[in-house]
């Protein structure tokens, strides 16, 4: 059975913490393909592991989107 977001690509900015992190985990539970971006590479990589464990595919890009 397909998951709710299995064929969707979701870009989450500010994914390293707070609302961005919670949003990424929510979409991961629906098996979305996630692009995780934020300023802290280490935190993003940890989140990517969690999301992949939940069934998502991930791409991590460390970036500051305010510039």
């Amino acid at each position: 059975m397909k998951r709710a977001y299995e064929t969707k690509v979701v870009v989450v900015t500010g994914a390293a913490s707070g609302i961005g992190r919670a949003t990424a985990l929510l979409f991961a539970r629906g098996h979305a393909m996630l692009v995780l971006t934020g300023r802290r590479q280490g935190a993003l990589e940890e989140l990517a592991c969690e999301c992949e464990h939940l069934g998502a595919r991930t791409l991590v890009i460390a970036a500051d989107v305010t510039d």
Side-chain angles (χ1 to χ4, degrees):
M1 181 163 83
K2 283 192 172 188
R3 298 292 181 127
Y5 302 105
E6 190 171 16
T7 61
K8 306 296 182 190
V9 176
V10 180
V11 178
V12 182
T13 60
S17 64
I19 293 171
R21 179 173 166 49
T23 301
L25 291 169
L26 176 70
F27 280 106
R29 288 183 188 96
H31 292 209
M33 293 173 271
L34 298 171
V35 179
L36 306 173
T37 185
R39 293 180 289 174
R40 298 187 338 235
Q41 179 79 26
L44 292 171
E45 290 175 2
E46 288 177 20
L47 176 60
C49 287
E50 288 182 55
C51 290
E52 289 170 3
H53 181 73
L54 292 170
R57 293 188 312 183
T58 63
L59 171 65
V60 170
I61 300 173
D64 186 346
V65 297
T66 60
D67 292 335

